[in-house]
């Protein structure tokens, strides 16, 4: 009788690296380690090398997932991500689509029972990114551990690939293939596709195809929105992902989200509006609560408004 097909058990662990400035000077090969977590009956940990895995990789930070102990080997797919704590969104940096072997019995100490990325990210890129905030960053590890049916067969198991729709939609926007509409936003021109915009936004649908559509829709002028805000709005329309400039400081970041919330409300993008509300709720402080409350009231953001009122009633605004 043939053995049953393999199946996997998923485990997820978030490793929060606190005090990055204190460890960024570690030598190549030195690492900090997460706590141990269990997935698929095995114990694992995440290792982060701020000075790189070895001397040739000093310009990068490295990250690995490690099978703990000296027990049986394991087969697993893995994914290493960086988490933006402000938005809750994660960026996949290293992903192994098919199961690979984690074996603690191999003789080479540096490779013993671990897999990952020696060139996980350029250190300069990480330090300028939104993933490093408040001197801390979060590395998320997702493991799919093969638990039955013969590990070797898992290598050849046909698996459904993850959706790449957002990737292709983003490329469509970036390359401007077959674009049939332009927007002049305070002198900066953006190109798009009417059908995509109309599908995602009821306001664009009415503007481009409805009975009240503008007579000339070859180029639409928008003079009451910053180009960087419109660019983020367009990216969300195409990919359903929120991407903000990485060079924004604390106040600039909040202002950007405030303006993006206004844009989301203006164009009927309810999901984007809720994401912006969630970010503003988490980043509320005494310097921004009054402005945020006024905006929440103006754009009917009831949950955000309630948080602002509670914040002020508790005297947290100073």
């Amino acid at each position: 009788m043939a053995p049953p097909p393999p199946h996997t058990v998923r485990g997820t662990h978030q490793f929060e690296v606190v005090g990055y400035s204190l460890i960024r000077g570690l030598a190549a090969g030195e690492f900090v380690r997460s706590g141990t977590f269990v997935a698929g009956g095995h114990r694992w940990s995440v290792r982060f090398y701020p000075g790189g895995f070895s001397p040739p990789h000093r310009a990068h930070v490295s990250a690995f997932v490690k099978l703990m102990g000296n027990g049986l080997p394991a087969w697993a797919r893995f994914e290493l991500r960086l988490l933006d704590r402000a938005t809750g969104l994660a960026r996949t940096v290293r992903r192994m689509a098919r199961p690979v072997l984690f074996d603690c019995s191999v003789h080479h100490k540096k490779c013993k029972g671990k897999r990952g990325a020696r060139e996980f990210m350029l250190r300069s890129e990480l330090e300028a990114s939104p993933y490093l905030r408040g001197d801390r960053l979060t590395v998320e590890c997702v493991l799919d551990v093969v638990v039955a049916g013969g590990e070797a067969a898992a290598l050849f198991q046909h698996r459904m690939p993850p959706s790449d729709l957002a990737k292709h939609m983003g490329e469509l926007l970036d390359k401007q293939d077959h674009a049939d509409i332009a927007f002049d936003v305070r002198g900066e021109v953006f190109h798009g596709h009417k059908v995509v915009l109309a599908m995602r936004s009821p306001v664009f649908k009415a503007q481009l195809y409805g009975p009240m559509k503008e007579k000339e829709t070859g180029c639409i002028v928008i003079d009451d929105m910053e180009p960087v805000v419109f660019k983020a709005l367009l990216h969300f329309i195409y990919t359903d992902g929120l991407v903000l400039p990485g060079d924004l400081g604390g106040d600039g970041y909040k202002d950007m989200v405030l303006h993006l919330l206004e844009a989301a409300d203006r164009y009927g993008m309810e999901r984007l509006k809720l994401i912006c509300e969630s970010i503003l709720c988490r980043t509320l402080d005494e310097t921004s609560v009054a402005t945020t409350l006024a905006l929440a009231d103006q754009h009917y953001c009831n949950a955000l408004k309630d948080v602002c009122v509670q914040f002020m009633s508790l005297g947290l605004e100073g």
Side-chain angles (χ1 to χ4, degrees):
M1 180 180 294
H7 68 275
T8 60
V9 171
R10 171 160 290 190
T12 302
H13 184 73
Q14 292 184 355
F15 176 28
E16 186 170 8
V17 180
V18 180
Y20 173 82
S21 61
L22 300 177
I23 64 168
R24 72 181 302 275
L26 289 179
E30 296 181 330
F31 61 88
V32 291
R33 183 176 70 84
S34 74
T36 302
F37 62 99
V38 176
H42 298 272
R43 296 185 303 116
W44 309 84
S45 68
V46 177
R47 291 184 174 186
F48 179 73
Y49 298 72
F53 182 74
S54 61
H57 309 104
R58 285 196 186 98
H60 294 78
V61 297
S62 307
F64 287 79
V65 57
K66 173 78 164 65
L67 176 65
M68 304 297 290
N70 295 310
L72 295 174
W75 289 87
R77 294 191 301 268
F78 70 89
E79 190 171 343
L80 291 169
R81 308 168 173 170
L82 282 173
L83 188 66
D84 186 333
R85 294 184 298 112
T87 65
L89 303 176
R91 169 185 169 182
T92 297
V93 182
R94 173 68 169 169
R95 178 177 176 271
M96 189 60 65
R98 290 187 174 183
V100 292
L101 178 63
F102 290 81
D103 189 357
C104 293
S105 67
V106 297
H107 297 296
H108 197 303
K109 183 178 179 181
K110 281 194 173 184
C111 300
K112 194 170 185 178
K114 59 179 175 286
R115 299 274 187 162
R118 290 173 170 83
E119 297 181 355
F120 186 65
M121 183 176 284
L122 282 168
R123 186 181 299 103
S124 58
E125 180 184 355
L126 173 66
E127 293 177 355
S129 76
Y131 305 107
L132 180 61
R133 293 183 183 275
D135 205 30
R136 62 179 62 190
L137 63 100
T138 301
V139 180
E140 184 176 60
C141 174
V142 180
L143 277 170
D144 290 314
V145 184
V146 178
V147 295
E151 289 84 348
L155 287 173
F156 306 100
Q157 184 77 4
H158 292 291
R159 303 258 178 202
M160 186 68 68
S163 172
D164 56 2
L165 177 62
K167 172 179 176 289
H168 290 301
M169 291 297 291
E171 291 175 351
L172 180 67
L173 175 63
D174 293 338
K175 295 178 181 178
Q176 304 176 14
D177 292 339
H178 307 293
D180 55 1
I181 186 68
F183 297 90
D184 184 340
V185 186
R186 293 191 174 183
E188 188 169 341
V189 178
F190 299 88
H191 297 274
H193 305 80
K194 293 180 183 178
V195 67
V196 176
L197 298 167
M199 176 183 66
R200 294 281 282 156
S201 163
V203 177
F204 277 130
K205 183 177 181 179
Q207 189 176 20
L208 298 172
Y209 293 110
M212 301 301 291
K213 69 179 180 180
E214 299 183 7
K215 292 181 180 180
E216 177 56 57
T217 55
C219 184
I220 297 176
V221 177
I222 300 174
D223 57 11
D224 56 352
M225 185 183 300
E226 291 295 331
V228 68
V229 176
F230 189 78
K231 182 178 181 180
L233 174 70
L234 266 187
H235 187 274
F236 187 88
I237 286 174
Y238 277 76
T239 68
D240 207 42
L242 178 58
V243 175
L244 300 179
D247 58 350
L248 295 174
D251 292 340
Y253 179 83
K254 292 177 186 176
D255 288 342
M256 176 71 178
V257 176
L258 286 168
H259 291 309
L260 197 53
L261 186 148
E262 291 180 303
D265 186 52
R266 172 174 171 175
Y267 288 103
M269 301 293 298
E270 289 301 318
R271 174 170 154 77
L272 176 58
K273 184 178 174 181
L274 288 172
I275 290 175
C276 292
E277 283 190 69
S278 176
I279 295 172
L280 292 171
C281 284
R282 294 197 301 268
T283 58
L284 199 63
D285 59 29
E286 65 277 3
T287 64
S288 62
V289 62
T291 302
T292 304
L293 176 59
L295 186 81
D297 186 55
Q298 180 182 356
H299 295 281
Y300 306 101
C301 305
N302 294 328
L304 178 58
K305 183 178 177 180
D306 290 343
V307 171
C308 291
V309 171
Q310 184 178 16
F311 188 97
M312 298 175 76
S313 68
L314 294 174
L316 298 177
E317 80 279 12

